[in-house]
Amino acid sequence: MTALCNEMITGAPVTFAAAEDFLRMFHDAHPEAGAVRQRLAEVRAEIEETGTYRHTHQELCYGARVALRDTGWCTSGLPWRRLKVRDLRGIHKAQAVATQCFEHLRLAANGGKIQPLVTVFAPDRPEAPGPRIWNPQLVSYAGYPEMGDARNIDFTDSVEALGWQHPLPRSAFDHLPLVVSAGLQDPQLFTIPREVVTEVPLTHPDLPWFADLGLRWPAVPVISNMRLRIGGVDYPAAPFNTWFVGTDIGTRSLADESAYAMLRPVAIHLGLDTSTDRTLWRDRATLELNRAVLHSFDTARVTITDHYAETQHRLAWLRSRRNRGDRPAFRPHSSR
């Protein structure tokens, strides 16, 4: 998992070609916005004067929604046009970014009925970068050599170097602090209030001992370390969420040897023969982990989907996808 680094990014000037491609797409979808020719003339003049331009609120919302849809994060059955976009482009200080991230968690949890949400903070500008969130997700667990989320070991080491002190005693589900950098300033640590973190304790519909494993998972997957690019403008802090697919938790997080490595403990409790992979014990243990995840979220009345429904959605998305020009997208921070 990505650790903190001394990366120095300043906003590069926006090209008019990238802006034009997006604005034509926006006006095609929103003819009520007026003549595209006039808007293009305004943006060209603004870019020539400042090196960048400011999206209208409508343009920002449309771009964020298209980015979420076309990146493939839009889960099945989700009407992407109705995704809620929080336009917080006036916020660039680290403390204010952290406070609004906590509000994002509260709003997204929505009492279990997960609200798909994007929060957009200040963009990069030619003279200085915008704020950045370093955590892969707003809520994630520390990784230690002997326990926790192994994907986060490097990140945990980094935040400890910045002054974070892990709880005593340590556990497999210690919440990492939020790490935010504002412009060219050093990253700052912020403790995430417990009251804005919704977690689901994991139990199993048929296996009473499963609860004794003490597993749990955040209710909302808020991706926070990707930059949102719309028409050539980069928003380096734009946390977004939909809801979990069950296998994201059961297979990719709990079962995976590079994360929580829970397959062997579950298999031992099931009494399976783990002496050889030919017994398919890994498959059986993975199945029970995924059953537990879906059962637990359903019991807690927290929105979740399964991988069968998601497969059908992804196939439909792939059939309809069009790679045309510089489309809005969420991108890894290393991508320019």
Side-chain angles (χ1 to χ4, degrees), residues 14-319:
V14 174
T15 66
F16 177 72
E20 180 181 18
D21 188 74
F22 166 69
L23 291 170
R24 290 190 181 280
M25 179 171 61
F26 170 77
H27 279 262
D28 285 346
H30 294 276
E32 74 281 2
V36 68
R37 181 178 299 179
Q38 179 179 345
R39 180 60 176 144
L40 290 174
E42 294 171 353
V43 168
R44 183 190 291 275
E46 191 174 354
I47 291 175
E48 289 176 351
E49 180 180 352
T50 67
T52 187
Y53 69 104
R54 179 177 174 82
H55 292 119
T56 67
H57 178 72
Q58 265 193 312
E59 290 166 358
L60 179 76
C61 291
Y62 176 75
R65 289 163 180 157
V66 170
L68 193 59
R69 180 198 68 187
D70 286 2
T71 306
W73 286 98
C74 211
T75 46
S76 58
L78 181 64
W80 64 273
R81 290 181 179 84
R82 288 188 288 171
L83 292 177
K84 185 176 180 181
V85 179
R86 301 176 72 218
D87 183 355
L88 300 182
R89 287 175 288 172
I91 292 180
H92 56 86
K93 293 183 179 179
Q95 176 66 68
V97 169
T99 298
Q100 290 302 325
C101 284
F102 304 152
E103 180 66 3
H104 182 122
L105 285 170
R106 187 187 68 80
L107 293 171
N110 194 31
K113 191 175 180 180
I114 304 302
Q115 168 66 60
L117 196 61
V118 179
T119 298
V120 184
F121 295 106
D124 284 343
R125 297 189 63 84
E127 66 273 14
R132 177 170 176 180
I133 302 164
W134 291 85
N135 306 61
Q137 296 193 24
L138 291 187
V139 179
S140 54
Y141 299 118
Y144 310 113
E146 72 282 6
M147 70 173 74
D149 194 334
R151 297 169 297 185
N152 291 333
I153 288 177
D154 288 344
F155 189 80
T156 301
D157 289 343
S158 295
V159 295
E160 287 183 325
L162 290 174
W164 180 66
Q165 296 182 350
H166 58 70
L168 290 175
R170 296 187 296 186
S171 78
F173 297 97
D174 292 338
H175 292 167
L176 286 166
L178 188 65
V179 185
V180 182
S181 56
L184 301 177
Q185 297 177 0
D186 291 335
Q188 298 180 50
L189 305 184
F190 301 92
T191 300
I192 302 177
R194 286 280 180 175
E195 61 267 22
V196 301
V197 179
T198 302
E199 292 177 293
V200 177
L202 301 187
T203 60
H204 193 281
D206 304 320
L207 305 171
W209 52 261
F210 195 95
D212 297 333
L213 296 175
L215 303 178
R216 61 179 186 266
W217 208 255
V220 189
V222 186
I223 309 300
S224 51
N225 68 343
M226 299 184 75
R227 61 176 54 237
L228 170 62
R229 183 174 298 170
I230 302 174
V233 178
D234 276 358
Y235 300 91
F240 64 93
N241 71 276
T242 55
W243 45 69
F244 274 116
V245 179
T247 49
D248 288 341
I249 304 170
T251 301
R252 298 177 188 172
S253 297
L254 297 176
D256 198 310
E257 294 295 323
S258 65
Y260 272 86
M262 287 302 301
L263 285 184
R264 192 171 295 274
V266 170
I268 291 172
H269 276 84
L270 289 169
L272 304 179
D273 178 5
T274 61
S275 62
T276 172
D277 288 342
R278 296 280 288 183
T279 64
L280 302 184
W281 63 271
R282 296 180 188 276
D283 301 70
R284 173 72 186 281
T286 300
L287 172 64
E288 300 305 339
L289 279 167
N290 283 309
R291 288 186 67 204
V293 168
L294 293 175
H295 165 77
S296 301
F297 272 66
D298 288 345
T299 299
R301 297 185 178 180
V302 173
T303 308
I304 195 169
T305 188
D306 62 78
H307 57 291
Y308 292 107
E310 193 60 21
T311 297
Q312 294 303 312
H313 163 73
R314 293 298 171 96
L315 287 174
W317 170 72
L318 287 170
R319 293 189 192 103

